[in-house]
Amino acid sequence: MRAVILAPIGRDAALLASTLSALAIDTAIAADGGALTPMLTEGAGCAIIAEEALTPVAVEALKKWLAEQPPWSD
């Protein structure tokens, strides 16, 4: 599984992806909140989301995506 990173300000996402890649962890960077949920749907072991990325629109999209997950989903 891969880690999807949403950290749209500065170089945070690139630095985190580089660090995780050095540990042999597959990573993907979401450009913005709108890109996050499709990337999660494609498959992800985790999502790393910077606080500043949690805009009201991003939060609503994430809440909707989480509500659509099956009850057995981790």
Side-chain angles (χ1 to χ4, degrees), residues 14-41:
L15 291 171
L16 182 54
S18 175
T19 301
L20 293 174
S21 293
L23 298 170
I25 297 172
D26 185 27
T27 61
I29 298 173
D32 55 37
L36 177 65
T37 54
M39 293 176 83
L40 293 174
T41 300

Side-chain angles (χ1 to χ4, degrees), residues 4-9 30-34 36-37 40 47-64 66:
V4 177
I5 303 165
L6 176 57
I9 297 176
D32 55 37
L36 177 65
T37 54
L40 293 174
I48 301 170
I49 305 171
E51 184 176 0
E52 64 269 11
L54 293 174
T55 64
V57 172
V59 169
E60 286 305 312
L62 189 55
K63 284 171 46 177
K64 181 180 179 203
L66 287 169

